[in-house]
Each structure stands twice: as C-alpha cells, then as structure tokens.
C-alpha cells in the first residue's frame, strides 16, 4: 500500500530502502538543514570552501567525512562526547598531522544558531565544566549513526531488533519472494560497492525465483 492509498501487486519485492541519518534533536538543526546543516560531506562539501565547519561524531563516518571536508574548508572541528574516538585505529591515524583538523573532546552539541539565513555558530556543552561554550562555524555535519528505513516492514518478522532486514547470502528473507539489499540489511560493511553487489545477487535470484 502506497502513501496515497494505492496498491501495487507484485510476485516479488526487493527491499533496498537504505538508512536514515540520526538527528541530533537540538535547537536550530531542522531550521538550518540545507542552510549550513548537512548530513552529506560529499554532497555539500564544496559549498564550504575556505570556511569553518564542525563535524559531530567520533566514528568511522565522522572521521572520514572530516578528512574529505579538508579539501574545501579552511578549518574542520571534530566534536566528540568521549575522550577517545570510536573509529578504527587506521582511520584515526589518517587524521594525525592534518593541520586543518582540531578535536574537541568531552563536548556535546546544545544548539545551532544563525542569522536566519545560514549557520554562523554552534553552542556546545563542556562535559567537564558543565558550561556552555559558543564556537563560530559556517557548517555543521552530524555523523552520529543511521537507522534502517524499514518501519513499513515491521510486522513481517523479517527484521532484527534494530530494524535491519535479515537476508541470507542469496539476499532472501524468511518470507519467500521478499528480498533485501543494501544498507538496510544486516551486514558488516555499508558502502556503495557492497550495496551494488547485494543488488546484483538479489536480481539474479529474483530472476530464477520468477522462472520457477
């Protein structure tokens, strides 16, 4: 059943709905999304040439996107809640020696502020002093995780406890005719190259399934 109430009948269904970035849930985030707040450095990095940007998060995605942003921005500030990164050691080593990157440890975002048109600063809480501090920034890139876009399949008993589609090596779920592929399935590595591989495997097996 589609959002407009219409129905689509099919012999097979391939679920490849990906994931949705987690929001920080702070003041100014929704207001300035697309006006300084971005969830995709590859998409929007070029808009921040010679500017200051703030990356929220300490995982692989946050650090990799921060490094990508150094191609454009004059300064990249990384904000993490803990004292140490969650990212792999190999990814962390790539940050070493990059003069454009600075790290604020034991801080959490409180609100994003701007002039009504674009972001111009972010307010962070120092977890050691419990005080709020304001930092000038032209952009904010949150990378605090992503959730599978699979709520429509919640009653099919094909999802794990986090909502990811459980699919075998043939991309089949527990329900005959329903397949999963890409970032929305249970897997170790979520990248474009692995999603393409999932799709190719699923398409091949769907073809044979339909031929009986």
């Amino acid at each position: 059943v589609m959002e407009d109430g219409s129905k689509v009948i099919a012999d097979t269904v391939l679920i490849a709905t990906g994931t949705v970035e987690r929001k920080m849930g702070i003041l100014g985030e929704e207001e300035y999304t697309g006006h300084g707040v971005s969830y995709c450095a590859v998409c929007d990095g070029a808009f921040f040439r010679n500017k200051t940007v703030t990356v929220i998060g300490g995982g692989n995605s946050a650090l990799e996107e921060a490094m990508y942003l150094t191609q454009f921005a004059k300064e990249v500030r990384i904000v993490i809640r803990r004292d140490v990164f969650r990212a792999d050691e190999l990814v962390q080593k790539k940050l070493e020696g990059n003069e454009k990157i600075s790290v604020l440890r034991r801080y959490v975002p409180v609100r994003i502020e701007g002039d009504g048109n674009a972001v111009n600063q972010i307010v962070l809480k120092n977890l050691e002093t419990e005080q709020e501090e304001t930092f000038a920034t032209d952009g904010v890139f949150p990378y605090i995780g992503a959730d599978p876009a699979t709520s429509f399949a919640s009653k099919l008993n094909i999802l794990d406890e986090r909502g990811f589609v459980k699919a075998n090596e043939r991309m089949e779920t527990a329900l005959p005719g329903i397949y999963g592929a890409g970032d929305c399935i249970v897997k170790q590595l979520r990248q474009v190259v692995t999603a393409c591989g999932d799709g190719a495997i699923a398409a091949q097996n769907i073809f044979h399934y339909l031929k009986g």
Side-chain angles (χ1 to χ4, degrees):
V1 180
M2 312 301 284
E3 284 189 353
D4 62 3
S6 61
K7 295 182 179 180
V8 176
I9 307 298
D11 293 316
T12 62
V13 174
L14 172 57
I15 300 175
T17 46
T19 56
V20 178
E21 297 83 1
R22 288 181 192 152
K23 302 296 179 64
M24 296 181 292
I26 62 175
L27 290 173
E29 181 177 15
E30 292 292 337
E31 179 184 355
Y32 286 105
T33 294
H35 300 277
V37 176
S38 172
Y39 302 89
C40 179
V42 174
C43 309
D44 300 326
F47 293 114
F48 297 91
R49 192 176 299 277
N50 298 320
K51 295 184 177 181
T52 298
V53 297
T54 303
V55 174
I56 311 296
N60 285 345
S61 294
L63 270 58
E64 288 167 355
E65 298 300 295
M67 287 185 288
Y68 177 83
L69 287 166
T70 60
Q71 299 178 71
F72 309 101
K74 67 178 180 181
E75 179 185 358
V76 179
R77 180 188 301 118
I78 301 176
V79 177
I80 58 175
R81 177 187 294 268
R82 300 162 58 192
D83 292 319
V84 295
F85 291 114
R86 292 182 291 106
D88 297 336
E89 213 170 301
L90 183 61
V91 178
Q92 294 184 46
K93 284 186 177 298
K94 292 180 180 179
L95 293 181
E96 296 177 2
N98 194 318
E99 296 180 353
K100 286 188 174 183
I101 294 179
S102 60
V103 182
L104 287 176
R105 304 173 191 271
R106 301 278 296 161
Y107 280 83
V108 293
V110 176
R111 61 184 176 275
I112 296 168
E113 299 177 338
D115 59 8
N117 295 311
V119 170
N120 57 27
Q121 61 187 29
I122 184 170
V123 178
L124 305 174
K125 180 180 179 181
N126 185 320
L127 294 178
E128 294 181 349
T129 66
E130 295 295 315
Q131 299 298 310
E132 292 185 359
E133 301 177 27
T134 301
F135 297 84
T137 191
D138 300 294
V140 179
F141 289 80
Y143 287 101
I144 56 174
D147 297 308
T150 57
S151 58
F152 61 90
S154 60
K155 296 181 180 180
L156 298 181
N157 199 31
I158 60 172
L159 308 180
D160 72 359
E161 66 281 358
R162 297 181 300 161
F164 289 96
V165 176
K166 294 183 289 186
N168 62 21
E169 70 278 1
R170 295 168 61 86
M171 300 299 124
E172 300 165 327
T173 69
L175 293 178
I178 298 183
Y179 297 76
D183 286 2
C184 68
I185 72 170
V186 177
K187 61 193 304 184
Q188 180 181 7
L189 184 62
R190 291 185 173 85
Q191 291 187 353
V192 172
V193 66
T194 62
C196 291
D198 295 343
I201 294 169
Q204 182 76 359
N205 286 299
I206 288 171
F207 172 77
H208 290 297
Y209 177 87
L210 292 173
K211 290 199 71 173

